[in-house]
Amino acid sequence: MLKNEKIKAKEVQLTGVDGEDLGVVSTKDALAMAKELKVDLVCTSMMSSPPPCRLVRAGAAKEEAQQARKREKAPKVKEIRLTTGIEEHDYETKKQQAERILQSGDAVLLVVKVQGKEGARAKELLEELRRDLKASGTPATGIQVSGKQAAVQLNPLT
């Protein structure tokens, strides 16, 4: 994404601040217009001729680029491990940790280690966590009990 004087094309296809089409304009005129309105001239693509450019309020172009990068980035899946014999304080700590991860935009995989006949208790623990984290994330999978562990994945709210 090129801004202001870094745009080297002779002419640009200009779009105004409010989205109105201003047509094909020389780059000098577009830069003068941008300075007059106290906005940035942002080139969205150099692949066409003339390149499409927009007049964007100062700082908005940077925010927009950051939002686009966030949307492109696939969320990471972070795992939190628990045991069926977890105490109340430890449970709260793990819950807060999961909330922070979900609010940062990453998914959480909650895994409970199962020993012997604790499968039902592990499922109850995951259901409780899923209920407590309803405000921060949505379940991507059901509770899966297999072998020595039970797991559920929560995705962040969008």
Side-chain angles (χ1 to χ4, degrees), residues 27-47:
T27 305
K28 287 181 184 178
D29 292 343
L31 283 169
M33 198 180 301
K35 283 183 181 171
E36 182 181 313
L37 295 171
K38 295 182 180 168
V39 294
D40 288 328
L41 179 66
V42 178
C43 183
T44 54
S45 171
M46 290 301 291
M47 296 299 154

Side-chain angles (χ1 to χ4, degrees), residues 2-3 12 16 36 43 62 66 68 108 119 138 144 146 153:
L2 299 175
K3 277 176 38 177
V12 293
E36 182 181 313
C43 183
K62 195 173 191 178
Q66 286 175 337
V108 175
T138 57
Q144 301 163 340
S146 61
Q153 181 175 333

